[in-house]
Amino acid sequence: MVMTMNCPEEHCSPAVFLPLNPAELTRLPRLDESIDNCTHLFTTFRHTLEKSGKAGIVAIHLDHGEFIADTLMSSLAILLRVLGRKLSGRFAGTYKSGMKDFFLLLIPCGAYDEMLFRQDLALIQTELKGLGSHAMMIRQILPLGSAREVEIKVEGVYLTNRIGESSDNALFRAFQELFGAPDQPVATQTAEQLAIEEIIKSSLVTPVYQPIIHLQSNTLYGHEALSRLSRPGIIDNVEELFSKAADYGLASELEILCRKKALSRVRELDIHGKIFLNVSPALFQSRDHERGITAALLDDLQIDRSRVVFELTERSIIEDYDLFLKGLAHYREQGYSIAIDDLGSGYAGLQILARLEPEYVKLSRFLIANIDTSGTKQALVECLASFCGKIGAQVIAEGIERTEELDYLHSIGIQLGQGYLLGKPLARGWV
């Protein structure tokens, strides 16, 4: 089955299993009343995911290579109503998308976990598969008298709400899983996701700290907290870990874990100076993000918030600047500082620099590498440094690996630097 993300009419239609208390909803439409209206289904889905943090979606696609009459959909709706009596969930409505697909909304009674969802999904697959040769369905196929069986395909995704992920993004993630053509075998995807979930559950990351040096005085200014895998396996490096975690909707949970581990070790090792923590703009944009996690941890560890700098990578997408800036303001009000990481590595650098007005700007390795021999890079860095000075942002040159690079940066007055020449990331930090 070929599916695209641009035209909902060509997709499978999801059945949404929602763990809501029926008393919390308005009157639920009958199957035949809701068949042409998806608003109720999607609104209820978002409400449920935001409130309970879990939901399941089932996609049902009918196909036989010929036109399926509208009356077939009505007949199938009746059959699904009968089937619904056998499920843990109760049908609350249905939506026909195109001529061959269904959206179904179910509201389970009581607790509803992934095991119950998988049981419902298996039952739907078994029951509907037997309907392919049902006489009533055959009669609905045009032209009349066709001997072909109706092919029925059923797929499902169980969703749990991720920290920092909006309900709309969760719904989009589900559609990606259902409709996106996988680039790798499902078994591999499942193994990767389980590996990431185990890393998060068992806290299998180790923080390391790379020094940030005051170039003019050659003194320690602070550290950037980085993460390493404690037990490499199917995923064996942290870059791949974060990339795959984003694919599976686990990036925010992983990020929170790394932040907690990094701050706990700062206290344990009595690491000095500012603490630079990498953070995804997605957390600042999310309406569902649980705020106060970092503040509570810092209070418990007796670490002053003024020491913490959140690094925002320029390569991350900011989709809603207004919401993002509100989240940013919330953190600034608590005493945190903001840094733009890797300025110069992406296309939106000047926009994010102008709109965020950060306290720190970290220039990417691309601009610093061999800057002593490149007039173009020298002009760019000097221009950016001048601009940052005017808005009150301190410049940090990243990726300094050669003495000649360091000497040039020192000569033009760049105050802060970071790189292997100045110090590699260490688990114990730098004195």
Side-chain angles (χ1 to χ4, degrees):
M1 175 170 53
V2 178
M3 304 180 218
T4 67
M5 291 302 297
N6 295 325
C7 180
E9 296 296 319
E10 298 177 6
H11 295 164
C12 285
S13 302
V16 186
F17 292 76
L18 300 174
L20 279 181
N21 184 336
E24 297 175 352
L25 296 176
T26 57
R27 187 189 69 84
L28 298 173
R30 293 171 53 85
L31 291 176
D32 50 353
E33 291 175 344
S34 65
I35 198 165
D36 292 319
N37 180 10
C38 66
T39 302
H40 171 83
L41 305 186
F42 283 98
T43 299
T44 308
F45 172 82
R46 284 192 288 265
H47 171 76
T48 301
L49 196 60
E50 290 171 1
K51 186 167 184 178
S52 70
K54 54 188 177 182
I57 296 181
V58 174
I60 301 175
H61 176 77
L62 311 178
D63 193 16
H64 59 80
E66 298 177 17
F67 181 78
I68 295 182
D70 281 338
T71 50
L72 174 59
M73 293 300 181
S74 299
S75 300
L76 184 59
I78 296 172
L79 292 172
L80 287 171
R81 185 185 293 277
V82 175
L83 172 61
R85 297 169 186 167
K86 303 178 182 180
L87 303 176
S88 297
R90 179 172 63 84
F91 286 123
T94 178
Y95 172 63
K96 179 184 68 176
S97 175
M99 296 306 300
K100 302 179 181 181
D101 304 303
F102 265 84
F103 284 106
L104 305 171
L105 177 66
L106 287 85
I107 300 176
C109 300
Y112 198 70
D113 55 18
E114 185 167 9
M115 182 179 69
L116 289 175
F117 169 71
R118 295 298 170 191
Q119 290 174 356
D120 279 349
L121 178 61
L123 182 58
I124 290 173
Q125 290 172 324
T126 300
E127 294 288 334
L128 291 185
K129 196 170 184 180
L131 296 177
S133 57
H134 195 285
M136 181 187 67
M137 298 185 75
I138 293 298
R139 287 197 299 270
Q140 304 298 334
I141 299 176
L142 297 179
L144 294 175
S146 172
R148 295 192 182 188
E149 292 187 355
V150 176
E151 296 179 3
I152 301 178
K153 185 172 183 178
V154 181
E155 297 176 285
V157 172
Y158 182 80
L159 290 176
T160 54
N161 208 12
R162 308 295 189 193
I163 297 175
E165 181 180 49
S166 69
S167 55
D168 284 335
N169 286 342
L171 186 59
F172 178 73
R173 171 163 57 90
F175 273 73
Q176 282 185 311
E177 292 185 36
L178 285 172
F179 305 144
D183 295 324
Q184 55 185 322
V186 174
T188 301
Q189 293 178 334
T190 302
E192 288 175 344
Q193 182 171 347
L194 289 174
I196 296 169
E197 290 174 348
E198 177 60 23
I199 289 170
I200 295 172
K201 179 181 178 181
S202 301
S203 301
L204 300 177
V205 292
T206 300
V208 294
Y209 305 89
Q210 185 171 28
I212 296 173
I213 303 298
H214 197 292
L215 301 184
Q216 306 303 315
S217 63
N218 196 33
T219 56
L220 180 69
Y221 183 81
H223 295 83
E224 179 181 358
L226 304 167
S227 297
R228 299 289 183 263
L229 281 169
S230 306
R231 194 172 66 199
I234 187 174
I235 296 176
D236 59 7
N237 66 79
V238 73
E239 289 77 16
E240 182 186 15
L241 173 62
F242 273 92
S243 176
K244 295 293 185 181
D247 292 341
Y248 297 118
L250 296 167
S252 294
E253 292 182 57
L254 178 62
E255 188 174 302
I256 294 296
L257 167 65
C258 292
R259 188 184 304 178
K260 289 180 177 179
K261 295 273 285 192
L263 291 173
S264 296
R265 289 290 285 172
V266 163
R267 177 62 177 170
E268 181 181 340
L269 298 172
D270 194 24
I271 291 175
H272 299 278
K274 295 281 187 179
I275 309 160
F276 288 72
L277 300 172
N278 289 285
V279 61
S280 168
L283 260 69
F284 291 98
Q285 295 178 84
S286 173
R287 300 179 188 275
D288 302 329
H289 174 48
E290 182 183 351
R291 293 176 175 175
I293 296 176
T294 304
L297 180 61
L298 290 171
D299 291 344
D300 185 56
L301 296 171
Q302 296 183 326
I303 297 175
D304 195 281
R305 297 178 194 180
S306 63
R307 291 182 60 193
V308 175
V309 181
F310 287 121
E311 284 193 25
L312 305 170
T313 175
E314 183 207 349
R315 290 167 294 187
S316 298
I317 297 173
I318 298 177
E319 297 174 344
D320 186 336
Y321 263 102
D322 290 336
L323 182 59
F324 173 71
L325 292 174
K326 287 180 182 178
L328 210 60
H330 169 77
Y331 279 85
R332 276 181 163 146
E333 289 170 0
Q334 296 184 69
Y336 305 113
S337 298
I338 303 297
I340 295 177
D341 189 21
D342 276 340
L343 185 72
S345 63
Y347 66 90
L350 294 180
Q351 179 184 5
I352 194 172
L353 180 58
R355 299 193 70 168
L356 267 60
E357 299 182 2
E359 285 75 29
Y360 299 89
V361 172
K362 302 185 80 172
L363 302 182
S364 72
R365 169 65 184 161
F366 166 77
L367 292 174
I368 303 306
N370 300 311
I371 191 173
D372 54 300
T373 63
S374 172
T376 301
K377 290 184 178 181
Q378 290 173 10
L380 283 170
V381 169
E382 290 179 25
C383 181
L384 287 170
S386 175
F387 177 82
C388 289
K390 290 179 180 179
I391 66 171
Q394 297 192 65
V395 173
I396 303 173
E398 284 192 295
I400 302 174
E401 297 182 0
R402 298 169 52 247
T403 302
E404 293 82 359
E405 295 164 355
L406 177 62
D407 290 342
Y408 175 78
L409 294 167
H410 185 278
S411 72
I412 64 171
I414 298 297
Q415 302 244 328
L416 302 171
Q418 181 180 356
Y420 274 28
L421 182 67
L422 302 173
K424 296 182 178 181
L426 296 177
R428 57 177 170 78
W430 290 72
V431 179

